[in-house]
Amino acid sequence: MFCYNSFHQAYQHKLKLALIGQSIFGQEVYNKLRKEGHKVVGVFTVPDKNGQADPLALAAEKDGTPVFKFPKWRAKGKPIQEVVAAYKSVGAELNVLPFCTQFIPMDVIDCPKHGSIIYHPSILPRHRGASAINWTLIQGDKKAGFTIFWADNGLDTGPILLQRECDVGQNDTVDDLYNRFLFPEGIKAMVEAVHLIANGKAPRIPQPEEGATYEGIQKKENAEISWDQPAAALHNWIRGHDKVPGAWTTINGQVVTFYGSSLLDASVPAGQELTIKGASRPGLVTKNGLVVFGNDGKMVLVRNLQFEDGRMIPASKYFSADDTTALELTEEEKKIAEDIRAIWKRILSNVAVIEDSTDFFKSGASSMHVVRMLEEIKEKHCGLQLQNEDVYMATKFADFIQMAVRRLRGEGKEELVTDYVSKNMNNMTVNMPYQCFINGKFIDADDGKTYDTINPADGSVIASVSSASVADVDKAVAAAKEAFENGEWRRMNARERRLLMYRLADLMEEHQEELATIESIDSGAVYTLALKTHIGMSVQTFRYFAGWCDKIQGATIPINQARPNHNLTFTKKEPIGVCAIIIPWNYPLMMLAWKSAACLAAGNTLVLKPAQVTPLTSLKFAELSAKAGFPKGVINILPGSGGLVGQHLSEHPDVRKVGFTGSTPTGKQIMKSAAANLKKVSLELGGKSPLIIFSDCELDRAVKMGMGAVYFNKGENCIAAGRLFVEESIHDEFVRKVVEEIKKMKIGDPLDRSTDHGPQNHKAHLEKLLQYCETGVKEGATLVYGGRQVRRPGFFMEPTVFTDVEDHMYIAQEESFGPVMVISKFKNGDVDGVLQRANATEYGLASGVFTKDINKALYISEKLEAGTVFINTYNKTDVAAPFGGFKLSGFGKDLGEEALHEYLRTKAITVEY
């Protein structure tokens, strides 16, 4: 049990502190230490620059803490006695150096009772020296971190007090590491270190010499790129020097500095060649930046270039850098420009008027002001997402406004590199991605394996699709985890998330004909049905859950008070984390939407495995999600084997939730795998849904709806009526009318607008259905119609009708998942008897009843053991209504508010006051 008093007593000892250093980091450490009750008796920082005080000085002056701004502490190698005397006058018990660029004499370091502690941004003894973060990246370290150590007379050699470490991402920059880990965790650790010292529990662990390295300060003259290296080494060199001092090379006799690099794992893109001094192969200026090559043939993408005169441009604009025409601003954009001018004025307080020619950095701003400016802009205009590099590329106010407006209009975004299989069909050109989609990029499978996806209408190959490996699963999960824990998605508020989802829904609607065509040729769905249901309901689902993003709420809970204390208890609904979504082949895009929309609305990230036989609309969805602006890593799509990809996702320790739709045996296996780390699971599994038709129904409607209940989407429908119970007095007429209607159905090309019934999804499924019908005949059921493959290319099956089906028969108990109507009689008026037969199944997904007697209908709806009951209708699902089954049909819900809770966790918080 947590005890506040014990916690408080553990840190009751408070110290008198001298803070020596500067920057926002120093300011935050100062604020946290004072909040914890320690007394800061003096702040020693750098002099004002261009009329602006350092943030640490500003905070201390505001609080009335004594502030000293010494330009230096030593002269000619000796301490300046006046400075040392001023320091000693404050009577500090401990010196805290969070970030300090000045050389502090040992007279000051050793003066306090407890000595001095220093923050260093590396895992000592590795990377001693002032450029530690840079060298962590330059040398390709897999781990970064920081050390808080006791100062001695060496260079970063003092005993270690505490250390923390983090993983280094493949494309992390100095800014990424600093903002994600070194800054926030470093502040906490500095406060923790002071607490340990105050309580006499701070260790002094000597630094080992084994593994010790020292690297000097990186300067511009020694940051030239050496091109005879693998791509990974080039990338590490460039990102390790980004932003200071900047890795450079010579192009056309001019020094050009590279910023914003990433490894490019794709086919060589189209671009204009650019000769680079020392490089064995020309670079390529592409629409996404400058592609350069390592000596291993692999590629690095560079986003931004800076010339000798300080001008910075997107690398994609190298050959057209001077062609940019000034934008004419709308009235709304002019208002935004004035808001930004006011933000600049607050930061550049020493500048009387912000002119169009005012330069942000030449007016006294530094890198720490960049973060402040962008956060203030984001707070004022959430739709304007800017990066640090944008400021460096447009340092003058007029240029910055032009850049900001272009971003607001959607220009300048890194374009997704997409390789397509393109086909002309259905009166359009259909462009289909075919690679894995991981961390915002389409890439080949790690082992290069592919498989063919087949058009069920004629058996032809549509595309050769990447077959994801276990390594790809690990990469996708790592990307999703990084996006959830540290990425832009994590920082995005609910309304920004909502806007992204609406934007994605709009793009899906804009591409609905293309998506429906892909769905039709990949799954066999009739185009008109695909357009209305497969795609139409997918769009509706994303819009519905987009509306939920900013309406997810907890609750306040009255609890017993332990007098005289008062307590407040409340709950928070939080996203779970990385979710694995595994979907079937019958409604490829719609099943994706049902699960993914709720998952994303709740704030999670996802790795989705489409069915192996129908990957194409999922991959097209990935392309649209990138165009909508979803941050990298939020959505990842892995086509491939369920036994490999699905299994590894189910057991992966970093996946916190699995949402699965598919067969019951596979659902059971997922449960076993998920138990390894007790991840949350929701399952929508098989069904054998009963449909009861009473003699007092409206018969023609029951026939029409009954046929839809069985033959909708070629019977490949999880809630299909797997067994019809027809009251004896209308049985024969019902069967006759059904057969008459079947004979009117047109079987054929699913892209033909007049087609009623398309091909089964894939060959193996057709063969299984034919075997299912053979079993029915062998067991004594009457095959009234169909039961055969249609004589034409492709995987077509005749709509089928069985009667005289007894309860013990295989086809009475097991799902066909195809166009097979299984009809059993029940005695006139035997309501309870037919209910007993209807419930005599291990499945419980859906059910239905047709009768004009509303009392009978409601009685039956109460007794039927199924997650959904349809009365005088069937297949009527809606995005707002929860959907899911009982018993072996699974648990958990898709759609409606209840679906959100499948992707949320509840945290209870109690505050004593």
Side-chain angles (χ1 to χ4, degrees):
M1 178 182 293
F2 176 81
C3 178
Y4 173 80
N5 290 331
S6 299
F7 176 82
H8 186 69
Q9 289 168 7
Y11 291 135
Q12 64 182 342
H13 306 294
K14 306 301 177 186
L15 296 177
K16 295 179 181 177
L17 307 175
L19 253 74
I20 305 175
Q22 66 223 61
S23 79
I24 292 177
F25 184 74
Q27 178 192 57
E28 289 297 311
V29 171
Y30 165 84
N31 288 333
K32 296 288 185 185
L33 288 170
R34 288 188 77 250
K35 188 175 180 180
E36 291 294 324
H38 297 287
K39 183 174 179 59
V40 180
V41 294
V43 164
F44 299 84
T45 187
V46 294
D48 296 353
K49 182 180 179 181
N50 295 320
Q52 287 197 319
D54 183 83
L56 175 57
L58 288 172
E61 288 168 347
K62 182 179 178 182
D63 295 331
T65 301
V67 177
F68 303 85
K69 301 178 182 179
F70 300 131
K72 55 185 179 180
W73 293 69
R74 301 192 313 167
K76 297 182 179 179
K78 294 183 179 180
I80 301 171
Q81 293 306 313
E82 296 87 345
V83 173
V84 174
Y87 161 78
K88 290 182 177 180
S89 70
V90 302
E93 297 173 313
L94 173 69
N95 291 332
V96 178
L97 285 73
F99 174 73
C100 182
T101 58
Q102 295 178 310
F103 192 95
I104 310 302
M106 290 305 297
D107 306 50
V108 173
I109 293 293
D110 293 336
C111 181
K113 171 184 175 182
H114 296 291
S116 302
I117 59 171
I118 301 177
Y119 171 92
H120 184 78
S122 80
I123 307 171
L124 292 174
R126 187 164 173 78
H127 302 312
R128 293 169 177 164
S131 295
I133 313 178
N134 305 76
W135 283 102
T136 297
L137 295 176
I138 292 169
Q139 297 194 354
D141 293 0
K142 300 300 183 185
K143 296 285 185 181
F146 58 80
T147 304
I148 297 172
F149 67 96
W150 300 93
D152 64 4
N153 60 0
L155 186 59
D156 304 330
T157 57
I160 294 168
L161 195 160
L162 62 79
Q163 289 182 320
R164 299 284 186 270
E165 66 177 37
C166 68
D167 294 331
V168 178
Q170 177 178 273
N171 293 317
D172 277 344
T173 63
V174 171
D175 280 351
D176 291 333
L177 290 176
Y178 186 72
N179 294 329
R180 183 177 78 233
F181 185 80
L182 300 177
F183 180 87
E185 296 303 318
I187 293 164
K188 296 176 189 175
M190 287 297 284
V191 175
E192 181 183 346
V194 173
H195 284 328
L196 290 169
I197 295 168
N199 288 279
K201 298 180 179 180
R204 291 176 180 261
I205 304 168
Q207 288 192 38
E209 281 308 306
E210 183 179 353
T213 64
Y214 172 80
E215 295 92 6
I217 297 175
Q218 279 302 94
K219 297 181 180 178
K220 195 72 176 181
E221 55 265 28
N222 57 16
E224 183 177 6
I225 300 168
S226 173
W227 289 103
D228 190 20
Q229 301 182 79
L234 293 176
H235 168 55
N236 289 336
W237 185 262
I238 295 168
R239 67 175 176 151
H241 290 84
D242 189 345
K243 296 285 187 287
V244 178
W248 59 274
T249 191
T250 303
I251 301 176
N252 292 330
Q254 183 176 186
V255 170
V256 179
T257 305
F258 287 8
Y259 296 105
S261 73
S262 58
L263 291 171
L264 183 59
D265 185 8
S267 54
V268 177
Q272 188 172 350
E273 288 192 353
L274 178 64
T275 301
I276 301 172
K277 182 180 178 181
S280 60
R281 181 173 176 179
L284 291 173
V285 177
T286 73
K287 61 185 179 181
N288 287 325
L290 172 63
V291 174
V292 295
F293 298 86
N295 60 13
D296 55 357
K298 295 183 178 179
M299 295 175 287
V300 177
L301 178 68
V302 179
R303 290 193 302 275
N304 301 310
L305 304 174
Q306 187 175 37
F307 299 103
E308 291 176 345
D309 61 4
R311 183 170 51 99
M312 187 179 281
I313 64 166
S316 60
K317 304 293 185 184
Y318 181 85
F319 290 113
S320 57
D322 299 322
D323 295 344
T324 304
T325 304
L327 299 173
E328 185 173 342
L329 273 56
T330 66
E331 289 303 315
E332 184 63 29
E333 289 165 349
K334 288 177 182 177
K335 291 177 183 176
I336 293 172
E338 289 310 307
D339 289 340
I340 295 174
R341 191 187 301 272
I343 292 170
W344 277 46
K345 183 67 182 75
R346 287 195 293 272
I347 294 171
L348 305 176
S349 56
N350 56 309
V351 177
V353 179
I354 304 297
E355 306 280 358
D356 284 353
S357 59
T358 300
D359 188 290
F360 192 68
F361 296 108
K362 290 180 181 178
S363 298
S366 61
S367 58
M368 63 189 176
H369 295 111
V370 171
V371 176
R372 174 185 166 185
M373 190 238 294
L374 295 184
E375 286 302 311
E376 287 197 37
I377 291 174
K378 182 180 177 182
E379 186 176 346
K380 186 77 174 176
H381 300 285
C382 65
L384 184 51
Q385 301 288 329
L386 301 175
Q387 306 298 323
N388 289 8
E389 64 190 38
D390 293 326
V391 185
Y392 292 98
M393 290 174 62
T395 61
K396 292 181 179 178
F397 182 76
D399 295 337
F400 185 83
I401 293 301
Q402 287 283 310
M403 178 276 301
V405 171
R406 291 183 189 279
R407 292 288 185 275
L408 199 60
R409 295 181 183 182
E411 298 179 25
K413 285 185 179 178
E414 182 177 342
E415 290 190 40
L416 180 68
V417 178
T418 310
D419 290 338
Y420 296 117
V421 168
S422 297
K423 291 185 180 295
N424 293 315
M425 55 176 55
N426 207 19
N427 301 314
M428 68 183 80
T429 300
V430 178
N431 294 313
M432 296 171 282
Y434 57 85
Q435 297 168 293
C436 301
F437 186 73
I438 300 173
N439 205 26
K441 295 180 180 179
F442 283 108
I443 59 172
D444 291 334
D446 186 74
D447 57 10
K449 289 185 178 179
T450 62
Y451 68 93
D452 291 339
T453 185
I454 304 298
N455 184 341
D458 58 14
S460 64
V461 174
I462 305 170
S464 185
V465 178
S466 293
S467 184
S469 65
V470 167
D472 295 309
V473 174
D474 290 339
K475 284 192 284 188
V477 172
K481 184 181 180 185
E482 175 65 18
F484 179 76
E485 294 181 351
N486 303 306
E488 182 185 345
W489 184 251
R490 182 74 171 187
R491 299 187 295 272
M492 196 176 287
N493 66 46
R495 291 180 182 176
E496 292 172 318
R497 195 161 68 242
R498 178 187 66 186
L499 290 173
L500 274 183
M501 291 186 66
Y502 277 133
R503 197 175 302 150
L504 177 54
D506 290 345
L507 281 170
M508 291 167 69
E509 187 171 58
E510 183 181 325
H511 289 262
Q512 61 183 335
E513 288 88 359
E514 184 180 21
L515 285 166
T517 302
I518 297 171
E519 192 95 332
S520 185
I521 64 170
D522 204 25
S523 75
V526 173
Y527 175 76
T528 50
L529 176 66
L531 189 63
K532 179 184 176 183
T533 302
H534 292 229
I535 313 307
M537 193 172 188
S538 299
V539 173
Q540 292 174 26
T541 302
F542 266 90
R543 286 186 176 143
Y544 173 80
F545 282 108
W548 271 108
C549 288
D550 60 353
K551 300 172 186 67
I552 298 170
Q553 299 177 354
T556 56
I557 302 170
I559 65 171
N560 289 333
Q561 307 289 350
R563 296 178 181 176
N565 299 323
H566 291 83
N567 299 95
L568 169 66
T569 296
F570 60 94
T571 60
K572 285 181 65 181
K573 296 288 187 179
E574 298 180 337
I576 296 171
V578 179
C579 299
I581 294 175
I582 305 170
I583 58 173
W585 42 258
N586 57 328
Y587 296 102
L589 188 65
M590 195 170 80
M591 292 296 99
L592 176 153
W594 280 22
K595 295 187 186 299
S596 299
C599 174
L600 295 169
N604 301 287
T605 58
L606 64 87
V607 180
L608 182 139
K609 196 206 85 66
Q612 186 169 2
V613 291
T614 53
L616 297 179
T617 41
S618 293
L619 294 171
K620 189 68 181 181
F621 168 84
E623 179 192 0
L624 297 180
S625 73
K627 288 182 177 179
F630 274 79
K632 65 180 184 179
V634 175
I635 294 170
N636 304 273
I637 309 289
L638 298 178
S641 162
L644 183 72
V645 177
Q647 177 67 26
H648 194 48
L649 281 171
S650 300
E651 60 194 14
H652 199 292
D654 289 333
V655 172
R656 301 309 312 159
K657 150 84 185 189
V658 178
F660 171 74
T661 295
S663 72
T664 296
T666 304
K668 290 179 178 179
Q669 180 58 46
I670 285 173
M671 285 284 288
K672 291 178 183 177
S673 301
N677 68 334
L678 297 179
K679 55 173 61 74
K680 191 174 183 179
V681 176
S682 58
L683 304 172
E684 195 258 277
L685 307 176
K688 188 65 175 175
S689 302
L691 175 57
I692 304 171
I693 300 175
F694 286 95
S695 59
D696 63 349
C697 71
E698 187 179 326
L699 187 58
D700 288 343
R701 178 175 176 81
V703 168
K704 180 182 177 182
M705 289 290 181
M707 291 184 66
V710 175
Y711 302 127
F712 188 81
N713 200 46
K714 310 111 57 183
E716 295 167 353
N717 187 18
C718 51
I719 59 171
R723 191 174 182 193
L724 275 67
F725 294 93
V726 181
E727 198 161 8
E728 193 171 27
S729 62
I730 61 166
H731 174 274
D732 294 349
E733 186 179 3
F734 179 87
V735 173
R736 180 181 60 79
K737 286 179 175 286
V738 166
V739 172
E740 285 178 358
E741 292 301 317
I742 289 175
K743 291 177 179 178
K744 298 175 186 177
M745 292 172 64
K746 179 180 178 181
I747 301 173
D749 180 1
L751 293 178
D752 185 333
R753 304 311 193 262
S754 64
T755 295
D756 299 302
H757 189 82
Q760 304 310 134
N761 187 275
H762 51 282
K763 185 177 181 181
H765 183 54
L766 172 64
E767 292 171 349
K768 178 183 173 184
L769 287 171
L770 295 173
Q771 181 62 49
Y772 184 91
C773 292
E774 287 181 17
T775 301
V777 171
K778 287 177 182 178
E779 288 190 329
T782 301
L783 178 61
V784 176
Y785 192 90
R788 296 168 301 184
Q789 182 175 358
V790 178
R791 293 182 178 274
R792 58 171 294 157
F795 313 135
F796 293 85
M797 180 176 177
E798 294 175 337
T800 299
V801 179
F802 276 100
T803 60
D804 302 318
V805 178
E806 302 296 333
D807 294 352
H808 67 275
M809 293 180 179
Y810 178 82
I811 64 173
Q813 298 175 4
E814 296 299 326
E815 179 181 35
S816 71
F817 212 65
V820 182
M821 184 177 285
V822 176
I823 303 175
S824 299
K825 291 180 187 177
F826 68 94
K827 292 180 180 179
N828 294 331
D830 189 10
V831 174
D832 290 323
V834 75
L835 267 172
Q836 184 176 355
R837 295 172 69 189
N839 285 329
T841 172
E842 283 301 307
Y843 300 104
L845 187 56
S847 60
V849 56
F850 279 83
T851 175
K852 292 178 183 177
D853 186 341
I854 191 61
N855 292 322
K856 185 196 300 182
L858 292 175
Y859 172 78
I860 288 172
S861 71
E862 289 180 5
K863 298 295 183 180
L864 283 170
E865 297 171 2
T868 298
V869 180
F870 298 108
I871 298 176
N872 295 327
T873 188
Y874 209 89
N875 285 326
K876 179 57 181 173
T877 54
D878 187 87
V879 294
F883 180 93
F886 301 158
K887 300 186 287 187
L888 288 186
S889 289
F891 51 83
K893 297 295 181 184
D894 290 326
L895 304 179
E897 182 181 359
E898 286 194 40
L900 279 173
H901 300 296
E902 301 294 336
Y903 296 93
L904 292 166
R905 63 186 184 188
T906 302
K907 178 181 288 183
I909 300 170
T910 298
V911 182
E912 184 177 291
Y913 59 95

